[in-house]
Amino acid sequence: EYPGYLEARFAPPPEHEDRLRRLRDQLDAKRAEVDEALKNVETRRQLLQSYPARHATDILLKEPREIVDQELASALRSGGPLPQELVTEEAPGVFSFQLLDHTLCQLLVQESSAFLDWSREQQEAGVP
């Protein structure tokens, strides 16, 4: 009785195909971004694996009691206030104290310095 009614009624709107094409193009662009990001992650992982860590094992394998300054740890275990000689008032209401073990701090500084030197060498060599 109504020729073409069902076909017209259930056919996608004419702009539907255009929207699908735009979505496909956007998806392709996003997929390319993701592929590039994954490639960069792998490159960074390989680069960091090539870093010859000097003290990382020494730092990472320390026991928790070896990380904290021993004088501070003893004072904290006593349960009383921190002795004046462990605390410095840098400015009114601003206090500092030796939290980390001195040897650990030296290892961290040495490792940081070595990493910065290595990083500069990589940049000079043109490694991303």
Side-chain angles (χ1 to χ4, degrees):
E1 200 165 294
Y2 298 100
Y5 170 78
L6 289 177
E7 183 179 316
R9 174 70 177 98
F10 295 105
E15 68 276 357
H16 181 71
E17 287 181 36
D18 291 338
R19 276 189 277 156
L20 287 174
R21 283 188 190 93
R22 281 194 305 275
L23 285 172
R24 182 191 59 212
D25 293 344
Q26 289 173 355
L27 182 59
D28 289 343
K30 281 293 179 195
R31 189 173 292 129
E33 286 178 31
V34 168
D35 289 344
E36 182 68 21
L38 287 172
K39 187 177 101 179
N40 290 339
V41 165
E42 179 60 21
T43 300
R44 183 173 188 274
R45 185 188 62 74
Q46 289 175 358
L47 179 63
L48 289 175
Q49 282 182 339
S50 73
Y51 169 66
R54 277 112 177 128
H55 301 293
T57 304
D58 298 334
I59 294 168
L60 295 173
L61 295 180
K62 283 197 170 290
E63 293 291 325
R65 67 179 177 278
E66 297 174 308
I67 293 173
V68 176
D69 180 71
Q70 292 307 302
E71 288 183 72
L72 177 65
S74 295
L76 292 173
R77 277 193 294 272
S78 74
L82 289 179
Q84 291 288 347
E85 63 269 9
L86 294 181
V87 180
T88 304
E89 188 168 9
E90 304 291 344
V94 178
F95 300 91
S96 67
F97 53 90
Q98 181 73 33
L99 174 63
L100 299 176
D101 177 69
H102 185 69
T103 304
L104 175 69
C105 290
Q106 288 177 324
L107 291 175
L108 287 170
V109 168
Q110 290 171 6
E111 190 67 43
S112 297
S113 178
F115 182 81
L116 288 173
D117 291 344
W118 175 81
S119 179
R120 276 190 221 104
E121 290 170 8
Q122 299 305 307
Q123 289 175 348
E124 290 169 1
V127 177

